[in-house]
Amino acid sequence: MSEKVPCAILGSGNIGTDLMYKLQRSQTLEPTAVIGIDPNSDGLRRAEAAGLETSAEGVDWIVANPDKCRFVFEATSAGAHRANAPKIAAAGLQSIDLTPAKLGPGVVPAVNIEEHWEAADVNMITCGGQATIPMVAAVSEVTPVPYAEIVATIASLSAGPGTRESIDAFTRTTAKGLEEIGGAERGKAIIILNPADPPLIMRDTVFCAISPEADRDAIRASIERMRERVATYVPGYRLRGEPQFEEDRVAIFIEVEGAADYLPAYAGNLDIMTAAAVAVGEELAKLRSREQVPA
Amino acid sequence: MSQGPKVTLVDSTLRDGSHAKRHQISVEQVVAVSSALDAAGVDVIEVSHGDGLGGASFNYGFALTDEFELIEAAVGAVERAQIAVLLLPGIGVKEDLNRARELGASVVRIATHSTEADIAPSHIALARELGFKTAGFLMMAHMNTPEGLLEQAKIMEEAGAEIVYVTDSAGALTPDAVAARVAALRGGLDAGTEVGIHCHENLSLAIANSLVAVENGARWVDGCTCGLGAGAGNAPTEVLTAVFEKLGIEVNADTFAMLDVADDVVRPIMDRPQLVDRASLILGYAGVYSSFLLHAERAAERFHVSTKDILVEVGKRKAVGGQEDLIIDIAAELAAAQPAPAGA
């Protein structure tokens, strides 16, 4: 692809601003505009300084300028995205939704993006889902996983009001992702907020129920391949120690350190969302250009 | 007759005791314990997985019996007592509350870490809507200052909590620290909001701390019969009853009846005595969540490291309730750092 694909970011808060810095490094995507609703926001000021178009008109700007972007990264709130999504679709643009609105299919770049290249709206699930679903998928590629369970521990400071108000949405959405995308028959998700100071780096533990006869070497190798694949788009994605096998389960310990583009390094939970969203945009751009070669 | 305050006694043998029983509690045991506690006059009996509704998991331990079956059995076994459940947002979900209410539970404790009350308002609001008597449960209360704890308690109160607990999950509070926290809540919350106290025995202070709490205005007091609970256990309900009676603090439970429940019903189902030993004392000393004890013992055995070393390290990392997954991680690290045993 010779030309970068233009993208707009809707939402000029922490997530939108972090996303802008990541998109500026993309070889495939070109951030053209950051659109907010507060003309005095730090995010809009930073976007202007970076030479991007800015507006405080919200989704109306997108509707009025559909030629300026092909993807819209939705970094607002679930409520806002529910209102914005039909307008974005009507303008012929594709949404990559970082909110918990769950309008479109959930996507994890390392696992299932190819299935959804045509969707008008794809959803980034949850931070815990982005960190753990790949590992469940890695295990279930090798052996059946009747049950997968994850525990996500994040620094209190990195859990915004949206997460706090609807913590059930996190556990439900993540558990569903473990099943539908990770391939577990049944999934369960637990989230813990830890207020330690200095703040701790995001940690995730993945437990997969497996048969005692499962091929442990093959599982180890699959986990390692998946770690590499995720680390290509989330550089701070690491395993803590070796996977721990017990009779009928394997436990995988993950740590996600953020790239500290705009958000602090401990906020791996936010970093993995923005980094994965960029990877989704890049993949979609490639898949679409392959499928939509002009005759 | 007594002239002291009247206290609501909550027995959590069938919830906090779930930790000490590795969540292996049967319907028969629930029926026996809850009917005996009811007959002895205990006001509220809590029944849930140790980590609250939805706690059955790899991380916390799967349960022998589905907790909703246990709740239903307890509701059917009592005549006067109310059945309570525990829910930790982030582990259990709102559907669990609906289901517990349908089965007849009528008191709920919504629990968060002592600095994270703002994950609970929607659960507290739903609990009130469903008609639960609703308590906010501020766990690991030693990890927040009295003033900080009051701010968190106000969040719960505003969301609808009728009682807010100072929950000493690590058994780490000394009497002066309990007094300061209970007094802060009592002084800062509305007069109509009750204050509760939940103590662990890790520093052998559970009864003393419960008394100090009552002196400072707490009116909901938690115990577990025979102390059966996480870590070194909880304030033994039968001891609370006896001490309260001697001090003229009014409780509905009868001391002699409680002694029979303790020795005849609960002690026979205990897997081991509740001891303040090296490991459980460390919980209180280092400020570690009491239910980590058995998980740390298991990990210590598996990785050939000491339980004490694991718990000290957990304390250093400022783990909060629910982070049981950290224990295997730390045990593996400690094992990797020590020389391989001969012949290995």
Side-chain angles (χ1 to χ4, degrees), chain B residues 147-205:
Chain B
E147 301 71 34
L149 204 63
L150 172 61
E151 274 174 41
Q152 298 291 310
K154 282 182 171 169
I155 295 172
M156 290 178 155
E157 177 183 64
E158 193 183 333
E162 299 161 276
I163 309 127
V164 182
Y165 267 80
V166 174
T167 306
D168 184 16
S169 319
L173 289 175
T174 47
D176 57 317
V178 170
R181 283 163 179 76
V182 171
L185 265 56
R186 186 59 288 156
L189 296 175
D190 288 346
T193 305
E194 296 284 9
V195 177
I197 183 74
H198 176 101
C199 296
H200 280 269
E201 187 65 352
N202 304 334
L203 295 176
S204 276
L205 289 170

Side-chain angles (χ1 to χ4, degrees), chain A:
Chain A
M1 212 158 20
S2 51
E3 293 219 346
K4 290 188 184 182
V5 176
C7 310
I9 297 166
L10 196 49
S12 59
N14 288 337
I15 298 284
T17 307
D18 193 71
L19 199 51
M20 175 185 81
Y21 289 120
K22 286 187 167 62
L23 283 170
Q24 284 185 310
R25 290 198 299 267
S26 173
Q27 302 298 310
T28 320
L29 307 174
E30 174 83 50
T32 53
V34 175
I35 310 302
I37 47 171
D38 172 8
N40 298 315
S41 72
D42 180 53
L44 290 188
R45 268 199 297 272
R46 281 170 181 262
E48 206 175 339
L52 274 58
E53 284 206 48
T54 61
S55 162
E57 290 167 37
V59 73
D60 293 340
W61 185 93
I62 305 273
V63 172
N65 297 277
D67 51 324
K68 294 201 172 155
C69 57
R70 225 167 75 207
F71 296 126
V72 177
F73 287 90
E74 181 81 72
T76 55
S77 66
H81 184 58
R82 275 185 217 109
N84 295 345
K87 297 178 188 170
I88 296 169
L93 308 174
Q94 189 171 22
S95 293
I96 298 169
D97 174 22
L98 289 89
T99 81
K102 290 187 291 181
L103 300 181
V107 287
V108 178
V111 184
N112 73 334
I113 186 67
E114 298 198 352
E115 294 166 31
H116 300 296
W117 69 273
E118 282 181 304
D121 186 309
V122 291
N123 180 267
M124 296 306 300
I125 317 173
T126 62
C127 58
Q130 289 298 338
T132 61
I133 291 168
M135 286 299 152
V136 176
V139 178
S140 68
E141 266 172 31
V142 178
T143 188
V145 176
Y147 171 73
E149 173 185 314
I150 72 104
V151 185
T153 307
I154 65 174
S156 295
L157 281 174
S158 69
T163 304
R164 289 170 178 274
E165 280 160 25
S166 55
I167 204 147
D168 280 19
F170 174 93
T171 54
R172 261 198 303 267
T173 307
T174 307
K176 197 168 145 228
L178 298 174
E179 296 166 1
E180 293 179 356
I181 308 168
E185 260 173 64
R186 194 163 68 80
K188 180 177 178 67
I190 293 167
I191 181 169
I192 310 281
L193 306 184
N194 183 311
D197 185 25
L200 54 81
I201 288 175
M202 183 199 201
R203 289 171 38 91
D204 299 275
T205 300
V206 179
F207 298 98
C208 292
I210 53 172
S211 156
E213 281 89 46
D215 181 345
R216 294 182 176 188
D217 287 335
I219 293 172
R220 279 193 198 95
S222 183
I223 288 170
E224 180 50 27
R225 277 196 304 276
M226 188 60 85
R227 182 202 61 75
E228 276 176 24
R229 215 182 300 165
V230 177
T232 59
Y233 59 89
V234 189
Y237 187 82
R238 297 188 286 262
L239 296 185
R240 291 178 53 88
E242 289 287 305
Q244 295 290 333
F245 288 89
E246 281 181 75
E247 180 67 356
D248 58 350
R249 75 180 202 197
V250 56
I252 306 158
F253 303 97
I254 302 161
E255 183 175 86
V256 187
E257 183 173 1
D261 287 315
Y262 180 63
L263 304 159
Y266 62 77
N269 51 312
L270 304 177
D271 186 80
I272 196 171
M273 286 295 270
T274 53
V278 171
V280 163
E282 290 175 343
E283 281 303 309
L284 289 176
K286 284 179 203 155
L287 291 164
R288 291 197 147 197
S289 70
R290 196 172 68 204
E291 302 288 340
Q292 297 179 327
V293 182

Side-chain angles (χ1 to χ4, degrees), chain B residues 63-89:
Chain B
L64 175 70
T65 318
D66 182 288
E67 63 197 333
F68 292 105
E69 265 184 60
L70 299 181
I71 292 162
E72 195 171 14
V75 169
V78 299
E79 286 174 14
R80 290 178 297 183
Q82 288 188 283
I83 299 303
V85 293
L86 175 75
L87 181 119
L88 281 66

